Amino acid sequence: MSKHRVSRRQFLNYTLTGVGGFMAAGMLMPMVRFAVDPVLKASASGDFIPTPQKISEITEEPTRVDFSFEQKDAWYTSEVTNTAWVYKDENGEIVALSPVCKHLGCVVDWNTDKANQNRFYCPCHGGLYEKDGTNVPGTPPIAKLDVYPTQEKDGFLLLGKAKPREEA
Amino acid sequence: MKWVSQDMDMFLGAKEYVDTAVLPLFPVSFGNDIKQSVAMTEFIQLLTIPLERQFKGRMIMLPGHSYLKNKSKEKLLEEVIVWEKELFDNGFKHVFFVTSDSMWKSIEGELKGGLIWLPSIPLAAMDEGARNNILEDQVKQLLQLFMQKWQEDV
Ligand code: FES
């Protein structure tokens, strides 16, 4: 009888320690991550990323340029491919627009909606933007498409981090 | 939107715009077809990433439904019907299942949601260039399919 009781208590003890250990580990791991994460993050921003697009081949027609880089998403790194719509404006300046719709973040396409030639079109809720990225009133988006800062190196286009535009 | 906290805030704030739910179906087997079931799961997982990115504001990409291949068709169908009922009851207008497992093709008619079946391609055997080209191609087709289905139901 008494032997039984001890073993039950022991059993409880073991279980509780076990659960406690688990909980401690569960609490500790995120804390370590929070502590380490900002350090990891700092290195990934502010750089210009090379693209395969030759500056000399950029025309007045927006063209899709894909470029890949390593991104730190929370605490893991992955290879991401981003896209820009790139063209030269009437002054010959290079414009690189982010394809991410300012409504809810779908990817917009150039000139794909037959009823809206020469505009960016968002397939999700019919958002529209003019060639310069200005949102067309009456469609869901409420801001212009973000722009990438651009740079040139050895004849190729480099892109920075896309930024929202200041409202005029 | 993905099934992550950050995207959920967006979802809760813009529910009326998110009319589509996608549930990937992943077969799991430890039998002779173990490698095949892995390839199918892997392939669909790869494709759902760009799919979600493209249509972020309109669809919610659910964590996939994994099931054991050795279960009976009827059982598997039953489970998936519970899923689609839950999704339709929660206001989604479009429910899609994406899978490489051809078993679902044979019972497609029993589903109310749309079935998108893509044969898995043996990506592991290819070099990176070929793999990316094929994936890009598949993604394009997949995007087309979604846009088509949305248009049909307007
Ligand atoms: S996400 Fe582009 S219009 Fe809604």
Side-chain angles (χ1 to χ4, degrees):
Chain A
M1 196 58 192
S2 84
K3 207 174 144 207
H4 226 98
R5 200 173 293 154
V6 171
S7 82
R8 187 184 296 160
R9 178 172 302 154
Q10 264 175 346
F11 170 74
L12 263 176
N13 257 333
Y14 285 140
T15 352
L16 286 180
T17 326
V19 171
F22 243 123
M23 278 166 45
M27 273 158 60
L28 212 64
M29 298 241 296
M31 287 202 283
V32 171
R33 275 177 171 157
F34 279 130
V36 175
D37 197 40
V39 184
L40 293 175
K41 235 175 189 157
S43 66
S45 61
D47 307 323
F48 277 80
I49 297 146
T51 72
Q53 178 67 46
K54 281 204 185 101
I55 297 274
S56 57
E57 286 170 5
I58 298 174
T59 63
E60 295 208 341
E61 181 74 7
T63 319
R64 206 191 142 119
V65 174
D66 289 327
F67 57 105
S68 303
F69 59 98
E70 304 238 294
Q71 183 181 291
K72 286 186 174 112
D73 213 352
W75 42 72
Y76 84 59
T77 312
S78 51
E79 163 114 352
V80 200
T81 304
N82 259 355
T83 302
W85 287 104
V86 178
Y87 66 92
K88 281 195 178 123
D89 66 12
E90 1 13 304
N91 307 320
E93 302 279 349
I94 291 167
V95 181
L97 296 175
S98 155
V100 177
C101 183
K102 296 297 274 184
H103 178 222
L104 292 172
C106 293
V107 177
V108 304
D109 219 337
W110 171 251
N111 217 359
T112 40
D113 189 38
K114 282 176 205 79
N116 286 283
Q117 304 273 312
N118 293 320
R119 278 175 165 174
F120 292 102
Y121 173 70
C122 176
C124 283
H125 315 103
L128 286 168
Y129 303 85
E130 304 294 354
K131 184 175 171 183
D132 69 356
T134 309
N135 49 303
V136 174
T139 68
I142 39 150
K144 299 176 178 183
L145 291 173
D146 291 355
V147 250
Y148 291 100
T150 60
Q151 263 181 20
E152 178 181 349
K153 199 182 171 211
D154 304 327
F156 284 91
L157 177 71
L158 270 64
L159 296 175
K161 208 170 150 12
K163 288 196 194 73
R165 281 190 269 189
E166 264 126 70
E167 288 310 314
Chain B
M1 287 158 216
K2 298 183 283 278
W3 194 251
V4 298
S5 324
Q6 199 188 359
D7 287 6
M8 269 326 101
D9 291 338
M10 187 169 145
F11 172 66
L12 294 172
K15 251 185 165 167
E16 68 275 25
Y17 286 104
V18 189
D19 66 352
T20 304
V22 181
L23 182 69
L25 301 174
F26 300 134
V28 175
S29 162
F30 285 94
N32 290 334
D33 49 349
I34 179 166
K35 283 189 84 173
Q36 204 188 347
S37 80
V38 170
M40 287 176 172
T41 300
E42 215 174 10
F43 183 65
I44 295 299
Q45 257 165 356
L46 261 177
L47 287 183
T48 54
I49 298 168
L51 175 66
E52 184 276 332
R53 229 159 76 109
Q54 187 78 27
F55 296 136
K56 191 179 196 67
R58 186 164 180 183
M59 71 167 49
I60 186 152
M61 181 62 71
L62 293 160
H65 170 58
S66 316
Y67 53 91
L68 291 168
K69 274 273 341 158
N70 60 13
K71 267 199 192 171
S72 74
K73 242 187 215 183
E74 293 70 40
K75 266 259 151 2
L76 294 174
L77 182 65
E78 225 169 79
E79 283 171 19
V80 165
I81 286 178
V82 174
W83 269 101
E84 69 179 8
K85 180 167 182 325
E86 178 73 17
L87 294 168
F88 281 124
D89 286 353
N90 273 283
F92 289 103
K93 259 180 69 198
H94 308 273
V95 172
F96 291 106
F97 305 102
V98 189
T99 188
S100 269
D101 185 352
S102 56
M103 183 276 285
W104 295 103
K105 264 305 226 196
S106 64
I107 44 177
E108 186 177 6
E110 320 271 326
L111 296 169
K112 271 212 293 168
L115 179 74
I116 293 181
W117 175 75
L118 295 151
S120 99
I121 293 167
L123 294 169
M126 287 174 208
D127 68 73
E128 216 187 302
R131 188 160 57 207
N132 288 346
N133 282 342
I134 287 182
L135 274 179
E136 216 172 280
D137 212 66
Q138 292 282 317
V139 170
K140 246 187 229 149
Q141 285 183 38
L142 194 57
L143 300 181
Q144 282 299 329
L145 260 171
F146 271 92
M147 288 199 267
Q148 242 172 44
K149 300 234 176 181
W150 278 333
Q151 245 146 36
E152 279 164 21
D153 290 9
V154 185

